[in-house]
Structure formats: structure tokens, C-alpha cells
Amino acid sequence: DTEVTQTPKHLVMGMTNKKSLKCEQHMGHRAMYWYKQKAKKPPELMFVYSYEKLSINESVPSRFSPECPNSSLLNLHLHALQPEDSALYLCASSNPTGTRGGGNEQFFGPGTRLTVL
Amino acid sequence: LAKTTQPISMDSYEGQEVNITCSHNNIATNDYITWYQQFPSQGPRFIIQGYKTKVTNEVASLFIPADRKSSTLSLPRVSLSDTAVYYCLVPSGNTGKLIFGQGTTLQVKP
């Protein structure tokens, strides 16, 4: 199984709502990532978990709260978002090899298209 | 911090070979160079990765000169389905995180 799944595929929420994005992988990967991608722009790294611990937070606003309950699951909790947070949210996973870029191909999910009204 | 520079866009025709070059002047000695492909509204997909000289797999080749300040992704005999955005990535900073640059939009025409 070389697939990363993300749910939901689409999400529309108001600025006062609380919602969560979910990501799952069963490849035994111990690194998981959240990216945000606006239209016609490259993916922007948000968070990295390594061995279920948060290792990188790219100065993301606190209205985005990541959670890694176990090695297969990654959540992104959303609260009090702004319309400018509307984007495609991508999850990825990889094996943390300890080398700089070597052998740690990231597998991406299809993303969740988020619209904040 | 390492940064990549690629052409914003390229056009090609079906059946041609396409070469996309990426500049990465500040790449560190131990860093690998990785290329991803992305179709609209899909997650990026790994294409190829290399450290030096030449790497080839079933879909592409990656050429890296001795100074490693650039690399070239070569797509042989492209088809319409190769129309996509291609990203070159190198590790950045102490954490070695991969940062996506602006990418190259490849348009393959019939």
C-alpha cells in the first residue's frame, strides 16, 4: 500500500467553525507533513512530525493545530480561520533517513480543498 | 539557505525530449536533489532523485555536473499527459527540510 489518504476531499467552513483534516498512511513511514498550496503557487511547508513528535513548525498561526495520534495518522485542527486560509491542504509521509534529502521520497495525498467563508 | 531557480514555463511537442534545468548555487556537500511532478488539484509525485553524475529510472534522467550548482531533468519523448508543473527541491537549513520553489510549468502540445 503506497497510498496516503486524506479526508474530507472538500470542506467549506465559516470563520467561527471548528473542523479537522485527517491524513492516513500505512507504509510504515515515521515522518509526516502538512503543506498548504494556494492556486498556481508551490506547496508551502507548514508542519513536520518525526516519530510522532512535532519537529518543524514553519511559524504557522495558532488557528492551525496539528496532531499526530500515532505513526499512521496525522490531523490538522482548524479554528477561527480566515478567508485567506482557503487553499489545498496536502499531507505527505516519508521515511526519515537522516540524510539530507537522500532516500526520503515524500508520498503525497490528494489533498483537501478548503474554502473559508 | 539553499534556494532553487527554474524557468517559469516551457513548451514542447509530443515525442520530443524535454530538459528542465534547475540552479541551486548554495547546495551543501551532502545534499540530494529531488524532482517532483504535479498535476492540477493533485498532490506532487516523486520523479527522481540524485546526488551526482547521472541517475536514470523508467520515467526520467537526472544529470548533475561535478560542481553540483545545477541539475537537469530530462524527460524522453514527452506526451500530452506530461503537461504538469515540475519542481526541483534541495534541502534547506539545518533541518534539511525540502522547500518547493516556483516550479516549471511544462506544456506539451500535439
Side-chain angles (χ1 to χ4, degrees):
Chain A
D1 183 2
T2 58
E3 191 178 4
V4 175
T5 59
Q6 291 187 243
T7 55
K9 279 193 168 184
H10 301 275
L11 178 63
V12 180
M13 60 186 291
M15 289 189 285
T16 58
N17 292 156
K18 284 186 180 181
K19 297 286 185 183
S20 296
L21 309 184
K22 297 186 183 303
C23 173
E24 190 166 2
Q25 57 90 13
H26 294 288
M27 293 176 278
H29 290 166
R30 302 306 296 275
M32 296 186 77
Y33 311 76
W34 280 115
Y35 290 84
K36 171 184 177 180
Q37 186 173 28
K38 304 280 275 184
K40 300 192 183 302
K41 296 291 186 182
E44 296 175 40
L45 183 65
M46 299 174 71
F47 303 103
V48 180
Y49 273 82
S50 182
Y51 296 94
E52 294 91 70
K53 293 192 188 311
L54 184 64
S55 60
I56 295 176
N57 176 343
E58 289 289 289
S59 302
V60 179
S62 60
R63 58 186 184 269
F64 295 91
S65 176
E67 179 196 18
C68 190
N70 60 55
S71 60
S72 300
L73 294 174
L74 185 66
N75 298 321
L76 186 63
H77 302 297
L78 313 172
H79 174 54
L81 294 194
Q82 303 297 310
E84 59 264 29
D85 296 321
S86 299
L88 181 68
Y89 287 84
L90 294 162
C91 172
S93 70
S94 74
N95 269 324
T97 61
T99 61
R100 288 176 60 88
N104 59 353
E105 165 191 351
Q106 291 185 30
F107 290 78
F108 283 81
T112 293
R113 176 73 60 188
L114 174 67
T115 302
V116 181
L117 302 177
Chain B
L1 297 179
K3 181 183 173 185
T4 59
T5 303
Q6 305 173 231
I8 296 294
S9 64
M10 294 181 72
D11 287 342
S12 182
Y13 291 93
E14 283 190 290
Q16 289 187 332
E17 177 185 79
V18 170
N19 296 308
I20 305 174
T21 296
C22 175
S23 296
H24 30 76
N25 293 324
N26 295 332
I27 191 171
T29 305
N30 298 330
D31 287 352
Y32 280 71
I33 300 144
T34 309
W35 286 79
Y36 283 82
Q37 174 193 56
Q38 187 177 25
F39 299 111
S41 297
Q42 294 186 26
R45 183 175 72 100
F46 173 87
I47 303 174
I48 197 166
Q49 182 180 73
Y51 176 72
K52 62 179 180 180
T53 60
K54 177 183 175 182
V55 180
T56 297
N57 62 23
E58 62 275 10
V59 297
S61 294
L62 180 59
F63 299 91
I64 305 167
D67 66 7
R68 298 189 355 109
K69 292 185 184 296
S70 67
S71 59
T72 299
L73 174 72
S74 181
L75 304 172
R77 297 179 300 281
V78 294
S79 64
L80 296 176
S81 62
D82 292 316
T83 293
V85 180
Y86 292 83
Y87 293 101
C88 160
L89 287 82
V90 296
S92 178
N94 294 331
T95 62
K97 62 191 176 186
L98 295 181
I99 302 297
F100 283 81
Q102 291 305 305
T104 298
T105 299
L106 173 65
Q107 179 70 51
V108 179
K109 302 175 182 177

